[in-house]
């Protein structure tokens, strides 16, 4: 088991390093978020022993059960759509959220983070493809959200996230990743503070995402093996 895990991790690290090299960046330019949703604590611990430090969960309830059963000292990110009633628990569990997709959620995060005395890092999810099934802000809605960000004290909006529509050929994802980077560059120019994190790329399209500027990739099945049951949103 652990051997297969080590081989899968090595293969991912090679894909990341090769894509970084192709895009003229160092191999450390990209952080790997190991998406452990649906996998047991033993798998997390195996990857932690192999050096993985950041893990992503999409359901708050599942994370609340799993995290205490895993090795300590790991960094946990919430990667899925978050319901507002789960915000206090999400703040207690996660140091970063990748899927923040409404102003009301951002407001609720600020209130609860202030109450908890904890800060949280946030990527705004942007629906660049316009696919109706996807969560995320429409690109047009983001500038108004960015105007609101300086008033936040506990929520640090420092990046953007997107999920490309699944297609057999990862090259089809390129234009969506490229678009998110271009939007980011334009918004940063207008708002004047950096949005350094670009969370984009999953098991099948991480190389293309890195070539287009991803700084975090969220990888599940390519690391852990086939998923025991389908992952659900929070
Ligand atoms: C499940 C999930 C992933 C990982 O998907 P894989 O295809 O298993 O790598 C990445 N991001 C989000 C938001 C997810 O829900």
């Amino acid at each position: 088991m652990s051997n297969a895990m080590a081989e899968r991790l090595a293969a991912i690290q090679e894909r990341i390093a090769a894509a970084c090299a192709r895009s003229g960046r160092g191999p450390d330019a990209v952080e790997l978020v190991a998406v452990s949703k649906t996998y047991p604590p033993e798998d997390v611990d195996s990857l932690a022993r192999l050096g993985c430090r950041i893990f992503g969960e999409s359901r708050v309830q599942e994370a609340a059960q799993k995290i205490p059963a895993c090795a300590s000292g790991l960094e946990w990110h919430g990667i899925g759509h978050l319901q507002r009633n789960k915000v206090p628990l999400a703040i207690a569990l996660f140091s970063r959220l990748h899927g923040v997709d409404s102003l009301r959620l951002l407001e609720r995060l600020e209130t609860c983070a202030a109450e908890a005395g904890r800060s949280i890092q946030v990527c705004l999810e942007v629906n660049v493809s316009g696919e109706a099934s996807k969560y995320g802000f429409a690109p047009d809605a983001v500038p108004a959200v960015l105007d609101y960000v300086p008033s936040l004290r506990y929520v640090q909006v420092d990046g953007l996230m997107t999920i490309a529509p699944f297609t057999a050929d990862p090259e089809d994802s390129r234009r969506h990743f490229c678009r998110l980077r271009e939007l980011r560059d334009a918004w940063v120019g207008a708002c004047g503070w950096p949005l350094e994190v670009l969370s984009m790329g999953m098991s099948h399209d991480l190389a293309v995402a890195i070539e287009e500027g991803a700084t975090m990739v969220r990888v599940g099945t390519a690391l852990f093996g086939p998923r025991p049951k389908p992952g659900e949103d929070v």
Side-chain angles (χ1 to χ4, degrees):
M1 180 59 188
S2 204
N3 258 349
M5 200 74 102
E7 281 169 25
R8 285 193 293 261
L9 176 60
I12 293 290
Q13 286 167 335
E14 264 172 49
R15 285 171 66 196
I16 292 174
C20 283
R22 282 196 298 279
S23 55
R25 295 191 291 162
D28 298 330
V30 176
E31 287 187 298
L32 173 61
V33 180
V35 177
S36 48
K37 68 182 182 202
T38 75
Y39 300 101
E42 302 80 70
D43 287 357
V44 170
D45 288 352
S46 299
L47 277 173
R49 278 193 296 273
L50 293 166
C52 284
R53 286 262 95 43
I54 310 175
F55 291 83
E57 287 283 333
S58 56
R59 296 178 68 237
V60 175
Q61 230 72 342
E62 181 182 341
Q65 296 199 330
K66 190 180 301 180
I67 293 173
C70 295
S72 56
L74 303 175
E75 193 180 317
W76 290 90
H77 293 185
I79 60 167
H81 176 70
L82 181 63
Q83 289 167 1
R84 287 192 310 139
N85 63 355
K86 305 273 175 57
V87 162
L89 191 51
I91 283 172
L93 296 170
F94 301 128
S95 60
R96 173 180 295 281
L97 299 173
H98 293 241
V100 172
D101 58 0
S102 79
L103 202 51
R104 288 171 76 209
L105 178 57
L106 214 48
E107 287 166 354
R108 179 99 181 105
L109 283 165
E110 175 69 11
T111 305
C112 294
E115 279 167 14
R118 283 176 71 115
S119 59
I120 187 154
Q121 297 175 303
V122 158
C123 294
L124 303 178
E125 180 170 357
V126 185
N127 182 356
V128 277
S129 69
E131 222 190 1
S133 64
K134 291 263 184 290
Y135 291 109
F137 289 102
D140 286 354
V142 174
V145 179
L146 292 175
D147 282 345
Y148 172 75
V149 165
S151 70
L152 302 171
R153 294 193 47 213
Y154 291 87
V155 176
Q156 297 160 13
V157 177
D158 63 358
L160 306 172
M161 181 273 234
T162 200
I163 304 173
F166 182 85
T167 55
D169 183 359
E171 275 300 321
D172 295 339
S173 301
R174 185 179 297 279
R175 65 199 164 95
H176 303 299
F177 297 144
C178 173
R179 175 101 196 286
L180 189 67
R181 174 177 35 82
E182 288 173 355
L183 286 167
R184 189 273 307 269
D185 293 347
W187 291 332
V188 164
C191 76
W193 78 89
L195 291 166
E196 278 157 4
V197 178
L198 283 181
S199 169
M200 51 190 202
M202 318 199 326
S203 288
H204 74 292
D205 57 12
L206 69 92
V208 173
I210 291 169
E211 286 167 17
E212 295 301 331
T215 66
M216 279 187 194
V217 290
R218 309 175 310 270
V219 182
T221 44
L223 262 182
F224 289 90
R227 199 165 273 128
K229 60 182 164 70
E232 294 155 31
D233 284 318
V234 192

